[in-house]
Amino acid sequence: MKVLKFGGTSVGSAQRMKEVAKLILDGEQKIVVLSAMSGTTNTLVEISDYLYKKNPVGANEVINALERKYMTTIEELYSTEEYKELAKETIKANFGYIRSFTKDLFTLFEEKVVLAQGELMSTAMFNLYLKECGVKSALLPALEYARTDKNAEPDPAYIREKLTALLAETPDQEIYITQGYICRNAYGEIDNLQRGGSDYSASLIGAAIDADEIQIWTDIDGMHNNDPRYVEGTTPVRQLHFEEAAELAYFGAKILHPTCITPAKLNNIPVRLLNTMDPSAPGTLISNETEMNKIKAVAAKDGITSIKIKSGRMLMAYGFMRKVFEIFESYQTPVDMVTTSEVGVSLTIDNQRHLPEILDELKKFGTVTVDSEMVIICVVGDLEWTNLGFEAKVVEALKNIPVRMISYGGSNYNISILVKAEDKKAALQSLSENLFQ
Ligand code: ADP
Ligand code: ASP
Ligand code: MG
């Protein structure tokens, strides 16, 4: 069975939902994972902000406007009065639930419940639409099988067991529809897989059912060779290795959630990126194969802080690195890039929550320098070290941009370069000109 995930823009209007229905109805059984309609999750975040700030009036205005939008979509989506009524009743219940949070204490827990309504509504509406069209479809409630453990990591064994049981309970459907993004945590509370997490849901579901293929349908023809939001004239990359795609996703290619490739890679399930606006376009195939000896794409990850620790004690010493990294571990702060010299080490983090405490502890080892508002530019491809010349091309492309760190050799697939946020666009453009034109 295949798993097909449709993002927010792909289900962003009645017309788009109708097109998705046409696209998936080919007689083959499949699991369809949906995001919330585009803009909905952002609006739910906005509502939550009002409620955190104890402004129920502001929240209600936004809730009412969003509800009106849904009622219009319902009028356009269904052709019969019966289904219009059914859908209105269902969606009004979701909005009633959201409104119930305007009266009480609002915490992180309530926010997660509010954020979950987007995917609950899009899937309920789409399922009703398929039923109106006479399709045998069923909902697989994500809150009954998608779960994270005590470390907030997805629990693949639990997901596999529960999802298999749910599928067995509702056999013989053509289309199984489920919510991306939302899950329960180890304590059974409603939670989510972070913004953009529907891609991750699709990959976890694919792994859980040993899918033949995971398809991520979005608004662009596959993974482009650079970020189309910053660079003009980017072109699709037709084939990527799992490792290459994982690096691009982790380092900022928004088309994929940062960790969504991992479950597919571990289970060797190909991932295809496809375009809902142009379904016959070839898109990108991500698998164990790749074009050799080639730089494929560039991505950028924002919000990076670099930290340099310079210490006389590092000279010829062992154990220094361990002590430095233990500090990051004790504050549960992942390190992305590392570069070293004989007297110092520089590294980068993207989570600044414990930065003051981390800096206090690092100062025990030597002089500490911090650069904030940095960006990691990541160049990805088959960059095996015996292949000649690609490092030179990357460095040449960046010759007019101040570079704070360069890291290569951690894998055969990437070179990472740290630059100031203000130089990001120029760096991406220059890399495109020098590497792909
Ligand atoms: P969805 O709502 O379907 O999940 P997203 O907005 O999350 O869609 O991801 C698709 C968007 O990712 C594209 O519209 C594009 O602007 C952006 N993007 C950033 N980098 C890339 C890239 N390298 N290739 C393709 N798209 C990219
Ligand atoms: N709806 C969620 C978001 O906007 C999840 C997703 O679209 O992947 O972040
Ligand atoms: Mg997305």
Side-chain angles (χ1 to χ4, degrees):
M1 192 152 51
K2 285 183 182 155
V3 176
L4 284 73
K5 176 256 167 176
F6 293 88
T9 32
S10 301
V11 293
S13 65
Q15 188 53 33
R16 296 245 66 89
M17 284 201 196
K18 288 180 194 179
E19 273 159 35
V20 169
K22 265 192 239 153
L23 209 149
I24 59 172
L25 293 173
D26 57 6
E28 254 185 62
Q29 202 176 43
K30 49 181 70 73
I31 297 185
V32 173
V33 182
L34 300 186
S35 294
M37 293 178 75
S38 58
T40 298
T41 311
N42 284 345
T43 307
L44 295 171
V45 169
E46 195 188 337
I47 292 165
S48 301
D49 285 345
Y50 276 117
L51 295 176
Y52 275 124
K53 290 177 186 145
K54 299 194 174 29
N55 183 349
V57 178
N60 269 317
E61 266 175 39
V62 184
I63 296 170
N64 294 344
L66 188 66
E67 187 176 24
R68 281 196 296 274
K69 226 169 98 181
Y70 272 79
M71 292 306 131
T72 310
T73 307
I74 288 172
E75 282 296 331
E76 292 163 1
L77 182 58
Y78 306 94
S79 48
T80 60
E81 283 311 312
E82 183 196 350
Y83 275 89
K84 283 181 191 181
E85 277 318 305
L86 258 174
K88 279 183 187 169
E89 222 174 277
T90 308
I91 299 306
K92 279 184 177 160
N94 292 86
F95 278 96
Y97 194 33
I98 298 172
R99 277 195 193 90
S100 73
F101 295 107
T102 59
K103 298 185 178 81
D104 271 325
L105 184 71
F106 198 78
T107 68
L108 206 61
F109 169 76
E110 283 79 18
E111 180 181 16
K112 300 246 172 91
V113 180
V114 169
L115 294 186
Q117 302 309 309
E119 272 70 10
L120 291 169
M121 293 195 289
S122 63
T123 49
M125 282 164 65
F126 191 65
N127 186 39
L128 282 174
Y129 177 66
L130 291 186
K131 290 202 179 303
E132 189 184 44
C133 297
V135 179
K136 280 188 92 176
S137 71
L139 277 175
L140 300 171
L143 299 179
E144 288 181 26
Y145 68 82
R147 194 176 175 114
T148 54
D149 61 19
K150 289 206 165 103
N151 301 315
E153 297 291 340
D155 181 343
Y158 183 96
I159 297 172
R160 180 182 284 261
E161 184 196 325
K162 296 290 171 186
L163 189 55
T164 313
L166 274 173
L167 283 166
E169 272 171 34
T170 41
D172 304 328
Q173 303 294 316
E174 180 177 352
I175 307 288
Y176 293 96
I177 302 164
T178 191
Q179 299 84 17
Y181 176 59
I182 64 174
C183 62
R184 287 188 190 272
N185 61 25
Y187 312 98
E189 297 158 351
I190 293 181
D191 210 324
N192 60 60
L193 300 173
Q194 312 288 338
R195 294 304 305 274
S198 293
D199 305 328
Y200 198 16
S201 305
S203 180
L204 289 164
I205 293 165
I209 63 153
D210 299 313
D212 307 320
E213 185 169 291
I214 298 158
Q215 297 182 350
I216 308 288
W217 288 83
T218 179
D219 57 1
I220 188 164
D221 176 22
M223 178 74 79
H224 278 219
N225 57 8
N226 207 327
D227 193 324
R229 294 168 299 175
Y230 298 95
V231 177
E232 273 176 36
T234 59
T235 52
V237 184
R238 295 301 174 205
Q239 201 174 31
L240 283 171
H241 192 274
F242 284 125
E243 302 279 355
E244 293 171 327
E247 300 273 7
L248 287 168
Y250 186 74
F251 287 108
K254 189 189 173 228
I255 187 170
L256 287 174
H257 178 274
T259 50
C260 106
I261 291 299
T262 312
K265 183 176 75 178
L266 287 174
N267 295 275
N268 198 15
I269 302 169
V271 178
R272 215 180 270 280
L273 310 182
L274 292 158
N275 186 1
T276 333
M277 318 296 160
D278 184 7
S280 58
T284 301
L285 177 64
I286 302 164
S287 69
N288 255 326
E289 281 168 36
T290 187
E291 262 183 276
M292 307 297 278
N293 217 335
K294 204 174 156 193
I295 294 180
K296 309 283 170 44
V298 179
K301 184 172 175 177
D302 301 322
I304 305 292
T305 300
S306 74
I307 304 167
K308 176 157 70 185
I309 308 111
K310 248 177 84 180
S311 166
R313 271 185 282 166
M314 187 179 164
L315 199 66
M316 316 228 348
Y318 49 84
F320 177 81
M321 290 291 190
R322 176 176 56 75
K323 286 179 202 148
V324 167
F325 280 99
E326 266 174 3
I327 294 172
F328 289 89
E329 186 188 348
S330 66
Y331 289 101
Q332 297 180 338
T333 302
V335 171
D336 281 330
M337 262 176 97
V338 186
T339 55
T340 63
S341 85
E342 194 48 46
V343 292
V345 52
S346 278
L347 41 81
T348 70
I349 58 172
D350 69 354
N351 177 349
Q352 284 83 5
R353 191 148 39 111
H354 297 294
L355 187 59
E357 299 98 305
I358 290 173
L359 294 180
D360 276 348
E361 295 212 29
L362 287 174
K363 281 175 189 158
K364 293 177 200 152
F365 295 115
T367 319
V368 179
T369 322
V370 178
D371 293 296
S372 50
E373 290 179 48
M374 306 296 281
V375 168
I376 296 176
I377 307 275
C378 177
V379 178
V380 166
D382 170 34
L383 309 181
E384 220 258 310
W385 69 277
T386 50
N387 297 348
L388 297 178
F390 57 81
E391 312 88 333
K393 278 192 199 162
V394 171
V395 172
E396 171 68 18
L398 298 174
K399 67 181 176 201
N400 294 320
I401 288 164
V403 169
R404 169 68 185 82
M405 287 165 71
I406 301 182
S407 172
Y408 166 68
S411 81
N412 286 341
Y413 297 101
N414 116 353
I415 305 177
S416 301
I417 303 113
L418 190 72
V419 301
K420 283 193 252 168
E422 65 196 55
D423 293 327
K424 166 179 161 172
K425 193 167 174 184
L428 290 177
Q429 282 172 342
S430 181
L431 282 164
S432 259
E433 280 160 26
N434 282 266
L435 301 178
F436 308 125
Q437 276 172 23

